Amino acid sequence: MAVFLSKRLLRFALFVSVALLTLVALRNHSSTQDYVAEYLPASFDFSLSGFTGGGNSPQQLDAAGKAAEQQREAAEAAAEAGVAPESDIVDAGAKALQDAASAEGTLDLSKDVMDFIKPSFTRTDGGRPKACFVTLVRNNELHDMVNSIRKVQKRFNEEFRYDWIFLNDVEFTQEFKDKIHEEIPNSVTKFGVIPHEHWSYPDYIDQTKAAQTREKMANIIYGASESYRHMCRFQSGFFWRHPLLDDYDWYWRVEPSINLYCDIKYDVFKWMQDNEKVYGFTISIHEYLSTIPTLWDTSMEFFKENPEYVAKDNLMKFISGDNGEHYNLCHFWSNFEIANLNLWRSPAYKAYFDALDHAGGFFYERWGDAPVHSIAASIILPKDKIHYFSDIGYHHPPYDNCPLDDRVWTENHCDCDQKNDFTFKGYSCGKEYYDAQGLKRPVNWEEYSH
Ligand SMILES: Nc1nc2c(ncn2[C@@H]2O[C@H](COP(=O)(O)OP(=O)(O)OP(=O)(O)O)[C@@H](O)[C@H]2O)c(=O)[nH]1
Ligand SMILES: [Mg+2]
């Protein structure tokens, strides 16, 4: 009789636990979806986004279900032995489902990229940002590199004295290092070789297919180049993982053959830090579609599957004119970046890069680091974290950013021609940027649009 009763009790407990588990799953489903819905463009198709339950992919749900099942079995055995009250069986099942889901990180909706970056806004050692210049460069670009360094030193760094990091896929020559030391004797300089796995094919890439792509793309700029693809992949997914950058939170990317046209009289890193900005640029431009045919769809697929990475109030409008349906090809020109390294170190960006890398477009197409950085920053950051440095006169062949504000131009001794400013010209994305940020265009912008 006692055995009969306890079996009935157990069946009842199991029934209650299954009912409660279903309720938990359903509740998570609607609340998660509601939470992310406001952060995503309306055109995001939730039916494709892995929202089959609690924001989990089917595999993750399976894992959660299996874990819950195991816990339930254990609880059932314990109950049979007369050690666990019925309520514990229910709690154990529900908890197992939640534990398994949050172990996958899918229910952790606080995985905001800003939580990851914020600690680097509050420096305790006198407020000086942990910042450096970072330059990827070849030995044979020494001359053009020295020209860039001279400009940056003269216009900014003689006063602020931030470190310079130089990276290369091969060892720097002694001549290269000596010349750099000579140019910047008062700055810390560090020279690093890139680890082989950051500049080579991962095992999931079909190298024959990659070689065929290079042949097919021979008539596209850098389409036939293998090293250019390694460079773009490195700038997208690895420069910030180089051990020499571990000591820093902020970087300014500098390339050979660039120019700074105006004095920069304030500490731009400190400005970024104090104003809690994350990504700063000077020039924006449209990408060649033929280099990135599947980048947008691959990216959207990732964000649909991982909607918790989509920032509230993001800058989607800058990169898409139809709320995420299509890419408008706009991107920040990444040869200049002043940004927070923790953006790239964040779980959100790392997962995004990983998805892109596995999709293979760095090699099977010719994905550039500029659209990759830009799509990520525009989606995973709140838009007020992105800053356009209209006051920094900058040149990377063939385009200029030249301050249109006469006061800024004069006070900072600029030597560029405002007529050459690229911001509002046809192929630029300045208009898209101003509109997406809700910024008022300069009064005289039309004068400089042709
Ligand atoms: N060490 C090394 N650096 C490279 C290699 N290819 C490119 N770089 C560097 O990577 C950065 C980007 O390369 P660029 O050739 O300037 O690419 P880009 O800016 O898209 O093209 P350009 O319009 O030609 O300047 C520059 O700082 C280059 O010096 C390479 O094979 N090895
Ligand atoms: Mg360049």
Side-chain angles (χ1 to χ4, degrees), residues 301-315:
E301 217 168 281
F302 172 81
F303 287 111
K304 278 173 192 167
E305 275 169 21
N306 299 276
E308 70 275 23
Y309 294 141
V310 178
K312 186 175 184 181
D313 204 12
N314 57 55
L315 199 61

Side-chain angles (χ1 to χ4, degrees), residues 222 253 255-256 335 396-397:
Y222 296 119
R253 175 167 157 184
E255 286 201 359
N335 50 66
H396 176 292

Side-chain angles (χ1 to χ4, degrees), residues 161-178:
R161 304 216 172 162
Y162 283 101
D163 302 355
W164 280 87
I165 312 292
F166 297 91
L167 301 176
N168 194 345
D169 57 312
V170 297
E171 285 280 354
F172 281 108
T173 60
Q174 198 53 49
E175 182 201 359
F176 190 99
K177 291 191 269 194
D178 290 346

